[in-house]
Amino acid sequence: MLALLEALSLRPQEWRHGYDLMKETPLLSGTLYPLLMRMTDQGLVEAEWREPAQPGRPARHAYRLTAAGLALARTPQEDERPLGLRSSPA
């Protein structure tokens, strides 16, 4: 999920297609699309059907981060925090 958050946060206002996200991340379609659906259900990503740019092509889903998703993407991850701020294992 972190790779997907990072890819989406590079251009947070831009609608992105799954195929483009697959090219930018190490995620394959069997991982990417279920992850996008879960993130949409959690309110981190919004999705909409986009009409094709070329006639005769099918409509496709496009995705972008919500404000909550962008906030999560900008939150330092555990391994990026200074040692004194990391949580200790339980």
Side-chain angles (χ1 to χ4, degrees), residues 2 16-17 22 29 31-32 37 39-41 44 48-50 52 56 58 63 65 71-73 76 81 86 90:
L2 296 177
R16 312 284 300 286
H17 295 286
M22 280 193 313
S29 62
T31 302
L32 177 74
M37 287 188 288
M39 292 172 72
T40 299
D41 291 343
L44 301 173
E48 73 174 26
W49 281 103
R50 304 295 296 231
Y63 307 90
L65 288 177
L72 179 62
R81 294 180 191 159
R86 293 184 187 180

Side-chain angles (χ1 to χ4, degrees), residues 48-71:
E48 73 174 26
W49 281 103
R50 304 295 296 231
E51 290 301 316
Q54 300 173 348
R57 303 282 302 182
R60 301 191 302 173
H61 264 114
Y63 307 90
R64 69 179 178 186
L65 288 177
T66 62
L70 186 56

Side-chain angles (χ1 to χ4, degrees), residues 4-18:
L4 184 54
L5 277 172
E6 182 179 339
L8 287 166
S9 69
L10 294 175
R11 298 186 306 263
Q13 299 304 314
E14 186 176 318
W15 288 97
R16 312 284 300 286
H17 295 286

